[in-house]
PDB file of all heavy atoms in Angstrom:
ATOM      1  N   ASP A   1      17.192 -10.312 -34.675  1.00  0.00           N
ATOM      2  CA  ASP A   1      18.477 -10.331 -35.352  1.00  0.00           C
ATOM      3  C   ASP A   1      18.596 -11.685 -36.059  1.00  0.00           C
ATOM      4  O   ASP A   1      18.823 -12.710 -35.403  1.00  0.00           O
ATOM      5  CB  ASP A   1      19.598 -10.135 -34.331  1.00  0.00           C
ATOM      6  CG  ASP A   1      20.979 -10.353 -34.903  1.00  0.00           C
ATOM      7  OD1 ASP A   1      21.143 -10.307 -36.130  1.00  0.00           O
ATOM      8  OD2 ASP A   1      21.899 -10.590 -34.098  1.00  0.00           O
ATOM      9  N   ILE A   2      18.416 -11.704 -37.365  1.00  0.00           N
ATOM     10  CA  ILE A   2      18.362 -12.953 -38.126  1.00  0.00           C
ATOM     11  C   ILE A   2      19.650 -13.757 -37.968  1.00  0.00           C
ATOM     12  O   ILE A   2      19.606 -14.973 -37.749  1.00  0.00           O
ATOM     13  CB  ILE A   2      18.061 -12.681 -39.618  1.00  0.00           C
ATOM     14  CG1 ILE A   2      16.693 -11.993 -39.775  1.00  0.00           C
ATOM     15  CG2 ILE A   2      18.097 -13.967 -40.426  1.00  0.00           C
ATOM     16  CD1 ILE A   2      15.528 -12.779 -39.222  1.00  0.00           C
ATOM     17  N   LEU A   3      20.803 -13.124 -38.062  1.00  0.00           N
ATOM     18  CA  LEU A   3      22.063 -13.854 -37.923  1.00  0.00           C
ATOM     19  C   LEU A   3      22.224 -14.430 -36.515  1.00  0.00           C
ATOM     20  O   LEU A   3      22.683 -15.565 -36.345  1.00  0.00           O
ATOM     21  CB  LEU A   3      23.249 -12.968 -38.286  1.00  0.00           C
ATOM     22  CG  LEU A   3      23.416 -12.661 -39.771  1.00  0.00           C
ATOM     23  CD1 LEU A   3      24.612 -11.738 -39.996  1.00  0.00           C
ATOM     24  CD2 LEU A   3      23.567 -13.937 -40.581  1.00  0.00           C
ATOM     25  N   GLY A   4      21.844 -13.652 -35.514  1.00  0.00           N
ATOM     26  CA  GLY A   4      21.901 -14.143 -34.140  1.00  0.00           C
ATOM     27  C   GLY A   4      20.976 -15.336 -33.931  1.00  0.00           C
ATOM     28  O   GLY A   4      21.340 -16.322 -33.290  1.00  0.00           O
ATOM     29  N   CYS A   5      19.796 -15.237 -34.499  1.00  0.00           N
ATOM     30  CA  CYS A   5      18.812 -16.311 -34.385  1.00  0.00           C
ATOM     31  C   CYS A   5      19.315 -17.573 -35.092  1.00  0.00           C
ATOM     32  O   CYS A   5      19.254 -18.677 -34.539  1.00  0.00           O
ATOM     33  CB  CYS A   5      17.482 -15.852 -34.962  1.00  0.00           C
ATOM     34  SG  CYS A   5      16.162 -17.058 -34.789  1.00  0.00           S
ATOM     35  N   LEU A   6      19.829 -17.408 -36.303  1.00  0.00           N
ATOM     36  CA  LEU A   6      20.362 -18.558 -37.046  1.00  0.00           C
ATOM     37  C   LEU A   6      21.547 -19.176 -36.306  1.00  0.00           C
ATOM     38  O   LEU A   6      21.704 -20.400 -36.285  1.00  0.00           O
ATOM     39  CB  LEU A   6      20.756 -18.148 -38.458  1.00  0.00           C
ATOM     40  CG  LEU A   6      19.602 -17.825 -39.406  1.00  0.00           C
ATOM     41  CD1 LEU A   6      20.127 -17.300 -40.737  1.00  0.00           C
ATOM     42  CD2 LEU A   6      18.692 -19.030 -39.606  1.00  0.00           C
ATOM     43  N   GLY A   7      22.362 -18.339 -35.691  1.00  0.00           N
ATOM     44  CA  GLY A   7      23.481 -18.839 -34.908  1.00  0.00           C
ATOM     45  C   GLY A   7      23.015 -19.674 -33.726  1.00  0.00           C
ATOM     46  O   GLY A   7      23.589 -20.728 -33.426  1.00  0.00           O
ATOM     47  N   PHE A   8      21.964 -19.210 -33.050  1.00  0.00           N
ATOM     48  CA  PHE A   8      21.423 -19.941 -31.906  1.00  0.00           C
ATOM     49  C   PHE A   8      20.871 -21.291 -32.362  1.00  0.00           C
ATOM     50  O   PHE A   8      21.118 -22.322 -31.729  1.00  0.00           O
ATOM     51  CB  PHE A   8      20.329 -19.111 -31.226  1.00  0.00           C
ATOM     52  CG  PHE A   8      20.170 -19.399 -29.766  1.00  0.00           C
ATOM     53  CD1 PHE A   8      20.753 -18.567 -28.818  1.00  0.00           C
ATOM     54  CD2 PHE A   8      19.466 -20.491 -29.329  1.00  0.00           C
ATOM     55  CE1 PHE A   8      20.613 -18.829 -27.455  1.00  0.00           C
ATOM     56  CE2 PHE A   8      19.321 -20.768 -27.971  1.00  0.00           C
ATOM     57  CZ  PHE A   8      19.899 -19.938 -27.034  1.00  0.00           C
ATOM     58  N   ILE A   9      20.142 -21.282 -33.479  1.00  0.00           N
ATOM     59  CA  ILE A   9      19.595 -22.527 -34.025  1.00  0.00           C
ATOM     60  C   ILE A   9      20.722 -23.481 -34.400  1.00  0.00           C
ATOM     61  O   ILE A   9      20.661 -24.683 -34.114  1.00  0.00           O
ATOM     62  CB  ILE A   9      18.672 -22.232 -35.228  1.00  0.00           C
ATOM     63  CG1 ILE A   9      17.398 -21.538 -34.746  1.00  0.00           C
ATOM     64  CG2 ILE A   9      18.336 -23.514 -35.992  1.00  0.00           C
ATOM     65  CD1 ILE A   9      16.533 -20.962 -35.850  1.00  0.00           C
ATOM     66  N   LEU A  10      21.767 -22.955 -35.011  1.00  0.00           N
ATOM     67  CA  LEU A  10      22.906 -23.787 -35.403  1.00  0.00           C
ATOM     68  C   LEU A  10      23.560 -24.432 -34.185  1.00  0.00           C
ATOM     69  O   LEU A  10      23.914 -25.623 -34.219  1.00  0.00           O
ATOM     70  CB  LEU A  10      23.929 -22.954 -36.181  1.00  0.00           C
ATOM     71  CG  LEU A  10      25.164 -23.705 -36.658  1.00  0.00           C
ATOM     72  CD1 LEU A  10      24.790 -24.827 -37.620  1.00  0.00           C
ATOM     73  CD2 LEU A  10      26.131 -22.736 -37.331  1.00  0.00           C
ATOM     74  N   ILE A  11      23.698 -23.696 -33.106  1.00  0.00           N
ATOM     75  CA  ILE A  11      24.275 -24.255 -31.880  1.00  0.00           C
ATOM     76  C   ILE A  11      23.424 -25.417 -31.365  1.00  0.00           C
ATOM     77  O   ILE A  11      23.951 -26.473 -30.994  1.00  0.00           O
ATOM     78  CB  ILE A  11      24.432 -23.162 -30.796  1.00  0.00           C
ATOM     79  CG1 ILE A  11      25.545 -22.196 -31.205  1.00  0.00           C
ATOM     80  CG2 ILE A  11      24.704 -23.771 -29.422  1.00  0.00           C
ATOM     81  CD1 ILE A  11      25.607 -20.939 -30.373  1.00  0.00           C
ATOM     82  N   ILE A  12      22.102 -25.249 -31.377  1.00  0.00           N
ATOM     83  CA  ILE A  12      21.205 -26.310 -30.909  1.00  0.00           C
ATOM     84  C   ILE A  12      21.316 -27.527 -31.822  1.00  0.00           C
ATOM     85  O   ILE A  12      21.378 -28.676 -31.360  1.00  0.00           O
ATOM     86  CB  ILE A  12      19.745 -25.811 -30.822  1.00  0.00           C
ATOM     87  CG1 ILE A  12      19.616 -24.615 -29.869  1.00  0.00           C
ATOM     88  CG2 ILE A  12      18.787 -26.942 -30.435  1.00  0.00           C
ATOM     89  CD1 ILE A  12      20.013 -24.883 -28.448  1.00  0.00           C
ATOM     90  N   GLU A  13      21.351 -27.298 -33.131  1.00  0.00           N
ATOM     91  CA  GLU A  13      21.502 -28.406 -34.086  1.00  0.00           C
ATOM     92  C   GLU A  13      22.822 -29.143 -33.856  1.00  0.00           C
ATOM     93  O   GLU A  13      22.876 -30.377 -33.899  1.00  0.00           O
ATOM     94  CB  GLU A  13      21.433 -27.896 -35.531  1.00  0.00           C
ATOM     95  CG  GLU A  13      20.080 -27.365 -35.961  1.00  0.00           C
ATOM     96  CD  GLU A  13      19.043 -28.429 -36.263  1.00  0.00           C
ATOM     97  OE1 GLU A  13      19.360 -29.639 -36.267  1.00  0.00           O
ATOM     98  OE2 GLU A  13      17.880 -28.050 -36.498  1.00  0.00           O
ATOM     99  N   LEU A  14      23.889 -28.394 -33.619  1.00  0.00           N
ATOM    100  CA  LEU A  14      25.196 -29.011 -33.379  1.00  0.00           C
ATOM    101  C   LEU A  14      25.202 -29.823 -32.082  1.00  0.00           C
ATOM    102  O   LEU A  14      25.799 -30.907 -32.027  1.00  0.00           O
ATOM    103  CB  LEU A  14      26.289 -27.950 -33.355  1.00  0.00           C
ATOM    104  CG  LEU A  14      26.623 -27.315 -34.710  1.00  0.00           C
ATOM    105  CD1 LEU A  14      27.595 -26.154 -34.540  1.00  0.00           C
ATOM    106  CD2 LEU A  14      27.164 -28.344 -35.685  1.00  0.00           C
ATOM    107  N   LEU A  15      24.551 -29.311 -31.060  1.00  0.00           N
ATOM    108  CA  LEU A  15      24.440 -30.077 -29.809  1.00  0.00           C
ATOM    109  C   LEU A  15      23.692 -31.391 -30.035  1.00  0.00           C
ATOM    110  O   LEU A  15      24.090 -32.435 -29.514  1.00  0.00           O
ATOM    111  CB  LEU A  15      23.730 -29.251 -28.731  1.00  0.00           C
ATOM    112  CG  LEU A  15      24.546 -28.155 -28.067  1.00  0.00           C
ATOM    113  CD1 LEU A  15      23.652 -27.306 -27.157  1.00  0.00           C
ATOM    114  CD2 LEU A  15      25.705 -28.745 -27.282  1.00  0.00           C
ATOM    115  N   GLY A  16      22.623 -31.331 -30.807  1.00  0.00           N
ATOM    116  CA  GLY A  16      21.871 -32.547 -31.126  1.00  0.00           C
ATOM    117  C   GLY A  16      22.726 -33.534 -31.907  1.00  0.00           C
ATOM    118  O   GLY A  16      22.718 -34.740 -31.631  1.00  0.00           O
ATOM    119  N   GLY A  17      23.478 -33.035 -32.878  1.00  0.00           N
ATOM    120  CA  GLY A  17      24.362 -33.896 -33.653  1.00  0.00           C
ATOM    121  C   GLY A  17      25.474 -34.492 -32.805  1.00  0.00           C
ATOM    122  O   GLY A  17      25.821 -35.671 -32.951  1.00  0.00           O
ATOM    123  N   LEU A  18      26.024 -33.693 -31.908  1.00  0.00           N
ATOM    124  CA  LEU A  18      27.082 -34.176 -31.022  1.00  0.00           C
ATOM    125  C   LEU A  18      26.554 -35.270 -30.095  1.00  0.00           C
ATOM    126  O   LEU A  18      27.222 -36.283 -29.854  1.00  0.00           O
ATOM    127  CB  LEU A  18      27.647 -33.009 -30.206  1.00  0.00           C
ATOM    128  CG  LEU A  18      28.782 -33.337 -29.238  1.00  0.00           C
ATOM    129  CD1 LEU A  18      29.991 -33.902 -29.983  1.00  0.00           C
ATOM    130  CD2 LEU A  18      29.170 -32.092 -28.452  1.00  0.00           C
ATOM    131  N   SER A  19      25.352 -35.086 -29.593  1.00  0.00           N
ATOM    132  CA  SER A  19      24.734 -36.095 -28.736  1.00  0.00           C
ATOM    133  C   SER A  19      24.533 -37.400 -29.502  1.00  0.00           C
ATOM    134  O   SER A  19      24.816 -38.489 -28.994  1.00  0.00           O
ATOM    135  CB  SER A  19      23.398 -35.582 -28.197  1.00  0.00           C
ATOM    136  OG  SER A  19      22.747 -36.567 -27.440  1.00  0.00           O
ATOM    137  N   ALA A  20      24.045 -37.298 -30.730  1.00  0.00           N
ATOM    138  CA  ALA A  20      23.842 -38.496 -31.557  1.00  0.00           C
ATOM    139  C   ALA A  20      25.179 -39.180 -31.838  1.00  0.00           C
ATOM    140  O   ALA A  20      25.294 -40.408 -31.740  1.00  0.00           O
ATOM    141  CB  ALA A  20      23.137 -38.123 -32.855  1.00  0.00           C
ATOM    142  N   TRP A  21      26.188 -38.397 -32.165  1.00  0.00           N
ATOM    143  CA  TRP A  21      27.515 -38.944 -32.450  1.00  0.00           C
ATOM    144  C   TRP A  21      28.087 -39.656 -31.222  1.00  0.00           C
ATOM    145  O   TRP A  21      28.641 -40.752 -31.320  1.00  0.00           O
ATOM    146  CB  TRP A  21      28.448 -37.829 -32.915  1.00  0.00           C
ATOM    147  CG  TRP A  21      29.855 -38.286 -33.109  1.00  0.00           C
ATOM    148  CD1 TRP A  21      30.366 -38.960 -34.188  1.00  0.00           C
ATOM    149  CD2 TRP A  21      30.932 -38.137 -32.174  1.00  0.00           C
ATOM    150  NE1 TRP A  21      31.692 -39.236 -33.978  1.00  0.00           N
ATOM    151  CE2 TRP A  21      32.071 -38.740 -32.744  1.00  0.00           C
ATOM    152  CE3 TRP A  21      31.034 -37.552 -30.921  1.00  0.00           C
ATOM    153  CZ2 TRP A  21      33.295 -38.774 -32.104  1.00  0.00           C
ATOM    154  CZ3 TRP A  21      32.256 -37.587 -30.276  1.00  0.00           C
ATOM    155  CH2 TRP A  21      33.368 -38.191 -30.868  1.00  0.00           C
ATOM    156  N   ALA A  22      27.935 -39.035 -30.050  1.00  0.00           N
ATOM    157  CA  ALA A  22      28.466 -39.612 -28.816  1.00  0.00           C
ATOM    158  C   ALA A  22      27.704 -40.857 -28.374  1.00  0.00           C
ATOM    159  O   ALA A  22      28.184 -41.604 -27.519  1.00  0.00           O
ATOM    160  CB  ALA A  22      28.446 -38.566 -27.700  1.00  0.00           C
ATOM    161  N   SER A  23      26.551 -41.096 -28.960  1.00  0.00           N
ATOM    162  CA  SER A  23      25.716 -42.226 -28.569  1.00  0.00           C
ATOM    163  C   SER A  23      26.072 -43.515 -29.303  1.00  0.00           C
ATOM    164  O   SER A  23      25.521 -44.567 -29.008  1.00  0.00           O
ATOM    165  CB  SER A  23      24.244 -41.894 -28.820  1.00  0.00           C
ATOM    166  OG  SER A  23      23.877 -40.787 -28.035  1.00  0.00           O
ATOM    167  N   GLY A  24      26.945 -43.438 -30.279  1.00  0.00           N
ATOM    168  CA  GLY A  24      27.321 -44.632 -31.029  1.00  0.00           C
ATOM    169  C   GLY A  24      26.388 -44.863 -32.206  1.00  0.00           C
ATOM    170  O   GLY A  24      25.760 -43.936 -32.709  1.00  0.00           O
ATOM    171  N   ASN A  25      26.270 -46.097 -32.605  1.00  0.00           N
ATOM    172  CA  ASN A  25      25.456 -46.447 -33.769  1.00  0.00           C
ATOM    173  C   ASN A  25      23.980 -46.542 -33.367  1.00  0.00           C
ATOM    174  O   ASN A  25      23.507 -47.602 -32.964  1.00  0.00           O
ATOM    175  CB  ASN A  25      25.948 -47.756 -34.383  1.00  0.00           C
ATOM    176  CG  ASN A  25      25.337 -48.004 -35.746  1.00  0.00           C
ATOM    177  OD1 ASN A  25      24.254 -47.521 -36.048  1.00  0.00           O
ATOM    178  ND2 ASN A  25      26.042 -48.751 -36.564  1.00  0.00           N
ATOM    179  N   LEU A  26      23.287 -45.438 -33.507  1.00  0.00           N
ATOM    180  CA  LEU A  26      21.886 -45.369 -33.069  1.00  0.00           C
ATOM    181  C   LEU A  26      20.992 -46.344 -33.830  1.00  0.00           C
ATOM    182  O   LEU A  26      20.136 -47.002 -33.242  1.00  0.00           O
ATOM    183  CB  LEU A  26      21.358 -43.940 -33.249  1.00  0.00           C
ATOM    184  CG  LEU A  26      22.072 -42.836 -32.485  1.00  0.00           C
ATOM    185  CD1 LEU A  26      21.509 -41.479 -32.853  1.00  0.00           C
ATOM    186  CD2 LEU A  26      21.982 -43.070 -31.004  1.00  0.00           C
ATOM    187  N   LYS A  27      21.179 -46.421 -35.144  1.00  0.00           N
ATOM    188  CA  LYS A  27      20.303 -47.273 -35.961  1.00  0.00           C
ATOM    189  C   LYS A  27      20.437 -48.738 -35.586  1.00  0.00           C
ATOM    190  O   LYS A  27      19.443 -49.453 -35.482  1.00  0.00           O
ATOM    191  CB  LYS A  27      20.596 -47.056 -37.443  1.00  0.00           C
ATOM    192  CG  LYS A  27      20.124 -45.720 -37.952  1.00  0.00           C
ATOM    193  CD  LYS A  27      20.392 -45.553 -39.429  1.00  0.00           C
ATOM    194  CE  LYS A  27      19.967 -44.154 -39.861  1.00  0.00           C
ATOM    195  NZ  LYS A  27      20.225 -43.904 -41.267  1.00  0.00           N
ATOM    196  N   THR A  28      21.660 -49.185 -35.378  1.00  0.00           N
ATOM    197  CA  THR A  28      21.876 -50.586 -35.013  1.00  0.00           C
ATOM    198  C   THR A  28      21.284 -50.875 -33.638  1.00  0.00           C
ATOM    199  O   THR A  28      20.579 -51.879 -33.452  1.00  0.00           O
ATOM    200  CB  THR A  28      23.380 -50.925 -35.025  1.00  0.00           C
ATOM    201  OG1 THR A  28      23.885 -50.684 -36.340  1.00  0.00           O
ATOM    202  CG2 THR A  28      23.622 -52.369 -34.640  1.00  0.00           C
TER     203      THR A  28
END
């Protein structure tokens, strides 16, 4: 199910982004 698969990938990407955001200024 392409939409289901894309949705699952999007959730994982969002979790990764949320983790990065919660970590503060990673580059610095």
Side-chain angles (χ1 to χ4, degrees):
D1 171 19
I2 299 301
L3 288 178
C5 183
L6 289 174
F8 208 99
I9 291 169
L10 180 62
I11 290 168
I12 301 299
E13 292 284 354
L14 289 173
L15 284 172
L18 181 60
S19 176
W21 175 80
S23 298
N25 192 334
L26 300 175
K27 289 182 183 179
T28 300

